[in-house]
Amino acid sequence: MEARSGECNNIILIGFMGTGKTTVGKLLAQRIGYRFVDTDQVIEQEVGLSIPEIFLKYGEQHFRQLEKQVIRKVLTRTGIVLATGGGAVMDPANFSFLMENGCVIALDASENTLWERLKAAKDRPMLFSDNPREKMKSLLEMRRPVYYKAHFVVPVDGKSPQEVVDDIIAIIEPQGGDEHTE
Ligand code: S3P
């Protein structure tokens, strides 16, 4: 596929669990004619287990190795919208690789919004803890500075997935949306 969206041969979504990377990524890919790939889904398919099962059976370290391999394999192509897992960019080599292989867009939500979205989730092993809210808060504090180093940061609080997609398209294809001249 010939990639074209602005200067972005690939679009890579990063951000904390619950920011909507998968939902937004699918819609975005449809809108711009790119192929959607979710690293967690690829890992689940390859291993034949769900993410919580992989954590339980093999541990986080093993999951991180798989995540690293999948990121590299997927981005040998262009024309991809890639949704990454929330922890992927905490590996500095992954972060650099992503920044060199596409436009990296961080979806950013407030702590309250994230908790509302994540409190009932049973599929986020990083939040399996006696105090998941505290765990979420400390992970968020550790990770936010890395997310904020993306090429672009898009706030998602109070927006529908479609509105987030509109914001992303305005960033990557500025000639098609409102032109920002400042
Ligand atoms: C993780 C986030 C998850 C998944 C795994 C680890 C993390 O992806 O990769 O459970 O460390 O934040 P989502 O961000 O899509 O929930």
Side-chain angles (χ1 to χ4, degrees), residues 163-174:
E163 287 170 324
V164 177
V165 170
D166 289 342
D167 289 352
I168 294 173
I169 289 177
I171 289 169
I172 61 174
E173 295 179 349

Side-chain angles (χ1 to χ4, degrees), residues 60-124:
E60 185 186 349
Q61 284 293 96
H62 184 71
F63 169 78
R64 296 297 171 202
Q65 282 168 16
L66 297 172
E67 185 174 51
K68 193 167 196 157
Q69 287 162 15
V70 167
I71 285 172
R72 275 154 185 76
K73 195 167 70 183
V74 170
L75 292 178
T76 52
R77 299 173 58 173
T78 58
I80 306 275
V81 173
L82 181 66
T84 58
V89 293
M90 298 312 288
D91 176 332
N94 282 350
F95 182 77
S96 309
F97 182 81
L98 294 171
M99 292 290 281
E100 285 160 13
N101 282 278
C103 294
V104 177
I105 298 180
L107 302 186
D108 187 42
S110 68
E111 194 193 319
N112 284 341
T113 295
L114 291 173
W115 180 244
E116 281 307 309
R117 292 181 183 186
L118 292 170
K119 65 184 177 191
K122 299 270 177 283
D123 57 349
R124 302 308 212 288

Side-chain angles (χ1 to χ4, degrees), residues 19-179:
T19 50
K21 299 174 299 263
T22 302
T23 309
V24 166
K26 276 184 192 158
L27 286 170
L28 175 64
Q30 278 168 15
R31 283 269 293 274
I32 63 174
Y34 277 22
R35 195 166 72 98
F36 175 72
V37 182
D38 183 300
T39 54
D40 285 342
Q41 281 169 12
V42 176
I43 293 168
E44 289 182 329
Q45 278 160 15
E46 288 191 351
V47 181
L49 293 171
S50 69
I51 299 294
E53 287 168 339
I54 295 170
F55 269 70
L56 195 66
K57 190 161 179 200
Y58 301 111
E60 185 186 349
Q61 284 293 96
H62 184 71
F63 169 78
R64 296 297 171 202
Q65 282 168 16
L66 297 172
E67 185 174 51
K68 193 167 196 157
Q69 287 162 15
V70 167
I71 285 172
R72 275 154 185 76
K73 195 167 70 183
V74 170
L75 292 178
T76 52
R77 299 173 58 173
T78 58
I80 306 275
V81 173
L82 181 66
T84 58
V89 293
M90 298 312 288
D91 176 332
N94 282 350
F95 182 77
S96 309
F97 182 81
L98 294 171
M99 292 290 281
E100 285 160 13
N101 282 278
C103 294
V104 177
I105 298 180
L107 302 186
D108 187 42
S110 68
E111 194 193 319
N112 284 341
T113 295
L114 291 173
W115 180 244
E116 281 307 309
R117 292 181 183 186
L118 292 170
K119 65 184 177 191
K122 299 270 177 283
D123 57 349
R124 302 308 212 288
M126 293 301 289
L127 299 180
F128 294 172
S129 144
D130 291 343
N131 190 341
R133 169 124 214 192
E134 263 315 301
K135 183 79 196 290
M136 186 195 88
K137 189 167 179 249
S138 67
L139 275 176
L140 190 59
E141 276 167 14
M142 218 155 40
R143 292 176 172 184
R144 257 212 183 112
V146 179
Y147 299 144
Y148 285 175
K149 289 196 280 183
H151 294 120
F152 304 101
V153 178
V154 173
V156 303
D157 277 9
K159 291 181 196 162
S160 68
Q162 205 60 69
E163 287 170 324
V164 177
V165 170
D166 289 342
D167 289 352
I168 294 173
I169 289 177
I171 289 169
I172 61 174
E173 295 179 349
Q175 70 282 8
D178 296 336
E179 193 110 26

